[in-house]
Amino acid sequence: MAYYIPILFFAGAYVLTYFTIPKIIRLVEYKNLMDDPVSRSSHKKKTPTLGGASFFYALILALFFSRSWGEFNESIYLVPGLTILFIIGLKDDLLVLSPYTKLIAQFLAISFIISNPSFTIHSLNGFMEIEAIPTYVNYLISGFIMLTIINAYNLIDGIDGLAAMVGIVILIIYSAIFYMTHEYFYLFLSLTMNGCLIAFLRYNLSIATDEKIFMGDTGSLIVGFIISILTLKFLALSPEKYDSLPFLIENVPLIAISILIVPLFDTARVFTIRLADKRSPFSPDRNHTHHILIDYFNISHRKASYIIGAFNLVFVYLIILLGSASYNLWLVATLVTTVVILGYLFFRIDYSFTNLKRKLKIKRKVDEVKEKGKKLFHKDKN
């Protein structure tokens, strides 16, 4: 493979996304398809959404140009799945769909992927002494993995920059993995998605209100879908492919969990809280980790996103180092210890929706008093 080919996929996706998003912003503003803030929103002004629409056609073009690199004609299976999630995400951003409607769409999209032999998990390669996996178990495991990742990623898209930064970290790791294993189709897919996210991040973190945009469900469903595909392929690699990776083959499932630690931990945490409160696990609230960092520690969206993204990167690096010499027991112990510590820290304070709502009301009243004080000061001065 020529060295410039991966660069072309990354640069092409970046340029397409970078120059398309301003057009989407203008269109969304003209048609008044803005995201209105509600009581649990982290933004206070109407903001354009649908930024993820620019990801869709960049990925479709990448699949067209990379189709010959796939061993099992994977691009043909990805296109219908991407299209289903693009349509359902677009409709949800415009009309708001029920979680169960989105789940049905996700099942349909996933069915195209797990029917391709490239994504069949034949063995766990000795993880917890599990070797061969029956076909029906493979379908159940694969479907569950993809469904979990898509929804976990969708749920972390709650503040500026977070979903994009976490996605960039995950995709950098997968780009390195598929480069080392010579799985170039998935390398191109990772780089294309990363190019889209890096270009999008420039607008998502923009201070200028006329340039700011959210990826919306249109984007988060697509990115989650791509990350779930890459994760499934990582778990389905043939044993000889793992020889080029810097960790023991039996640690692969734990490495996959560590790569996705941020969305998986956050989803498990909020689902536990909601079920404990006898609510639907899909009911909205401000119990996410990123909301807690903002509401309780009074830091900006950007800082919260940097902190969480940096944690994801450092954690994966440490787990890979540990996985290069340690067997399952130590890695499991490390993962469990980390989750327990994080769980303790984030459950120690009262993060109930009622308490958060009360604190937000107090904060808004303080802001209103400050604003009135400033107006009176300027009035007296004049």
Side-chain angles (χ1 to χ4, degrees), residues 173-220:
I173 297 165
Y174 278 136
S175 295
I177 286 172
F178 292 121
Y179 175 76
M180 288 188 286
T181 55
H182 304 291
E183 290 284 353
Y184 296 123
F185 174 83
Y186 301 97
L187 169 64
F188 300 152
L189 188 61
S190 302
L191 291 173
T192 300
M193 191 72 262
N194 225 341
C196 292
L197 287 177
I198 292 173
F200 165 78
L201 194 60
R202 177 255 183 270
Y203 295 99
N204 188 223
L205 292 178
S206 176
I207 299 174
T209 54
D210 61 337
E211 289 186 344
K212 195 173 191 64
I213 192 170
F214 300 146
M215 71 168 67
D217 271 25
T218 312
S220 61

Side-chain angles (χ1 to χ4, degrees), residues 71-370:
E71 186 180 354
F72 294 96
N73 209 18
E74 292 96 331
S75 59
I76 300 300
Y77 290 78
L78 264 68
V79 170
L82 274 173
T83 305
I84 290 169
L85 292 183
F86 170 70
I87 293 170
I88 211 72
L90 189 64
K91 192 170 182 180
D92 186 55
D93 286 332
L94 298 175
L95 301 175
V96 183
L97 300 174
S98 72
Y100 304 103
T101 302
K102 290 193 286 186
L103 276 177
I104 292 169
Q106 290 168 26
F107 274 117
L108 288 173
I110 288 169
S111 64
F112 285 97
I113 304 304
I114 63 177
S115 63
N116 187 292
S118 180
F119 302 101
T120 302
I121 302 173
H122 296 286
S123 171
L124 290 186
N125 303 300
F127 172 71
M128 295 298 178
E129 299 184 358
I130 301 172
E131 294 293 343
I133 297 177
T135 304
Y136 72 93
V137 175
N138 161 68
Y139 289 135
L140 291 174
I141 292 174
S142 300
F144 176 76
I145 288 171
M146 292 192 70
L147 200 64
T148 301
I149 294 172
I150 292 170
N151 286 286
Y153 188 83
N154 187 33
L155 286 171
I156 66 167
D157 184 26
I159 61 173
D160 297 342
L162 179 60
M165 284 187 191
V166 171
I168 288 167
V169 169
I170 292 170
L171 290 163
I172 286 172
I173 297 165
Y174 278 136
S175 295
I177 286 172
F178 292 121
Y179 175 76
M180 288 188 286
T181 55
H182 304 291
E183 290 284 353
Y184 296 123
F185 174 83
Y186 301 97
L187 169 64
F188 300 152
L189 188 61
S190 302
L191 291 173
T192 300
M193 191 72 262
N194 225 341
C196 292
L197 287 177
I198 292 173
F200 165 78
L201 194 60
R202 177 255 183 270
Y203 295 99
N204 188 223
L205 292 178
S206 176
I207 299 174
T209 54
D210 61 337
E211 289 186 344
K212 195 173 191 64
I213 192 170
F214 300 146
M215 71 168 67
D217 271 25
T218 312
S220 61
L221 289 177
I222 286 175
V223 179
F225 184 61
I226 295 299
I227 290 174
S228 70
I229 288 170
L230 297 173
T231 303
L232 206 59
K233 182 59 185 177
F234 175 48
L235 295 171
L237 288 172
S238 57
E240 58 272 14
K241 293 280 186 179
Y242 291 120
D243 292 340
S244 57
L245 296 175
F247 42 79
L248 300 175
I249 188 172
E250 53 265 46
N251 289 329
V252 168
L254 295 174
I255 298 296
I257 292 172
S258 69
I259 292 171
L260 301 163
I261 187 66
V262 168
L264 293 181
F265 171 76
D266 187 63
T267 300
R269 184 183 166 279
V270 296
F271 273 27
T272 302
I273 292 173
R274 291 167 186 173
L275 290 171
D277 290 341
K278 298 180 180 179
R279 293 185 289 124
S280 166
F282 297 103
S283 59
D285 56 28
R286 287 183 66 86
N287 276 317
H288 292 281
T289 306
H290 47 269
H291 288 143
I292 292 165
L293 289 175
I294 292 170
D295 295 338
Y296 277 87
F297 299 100
N298 198 29
I299 61 177
S300 66
H301 287 208
R302 185 176 298 211
K303 285 181 180 177
S305 297
Y306 284 143
I307 289 169
I308 295 172
F311 166 78
N312 199 160
L313 187 61
V314 171
F315 184 78
V316 174
Y317 177 72
L318 292 175
I319 288 293
I320 288 176
L321 281 181
L322 188 59
S324 64
S326 302
Y327 288 90
N328 297 162
L329 181 61
W330 289 107
L331 276 185
V332 169
T334 303
L335 282 170
V336 169
T337 302
T338 302
V339 170
V340 168
I341 291 172
L342 289 173
Y344 174 79
L345 290 175
F346 284 99
F347 275 107
R348 191 74 178 87
I349 307 172
D350 179 12
Y351 296 128
S352 65
F353 181 68
T354 305
N355 193 39
L356 282 171
K357 194 174 180 181
R358 180 177 58 81
K359 284 180 175 288
L360 287 172
K361 281 183 179 178
I362 293 171
K363 186 180 178 184
R364 283 171 186 160
K365 284 181 181 178
V366 171
D367 291 339
E368 285 175 7
V369 171
K370 285 182 180 178

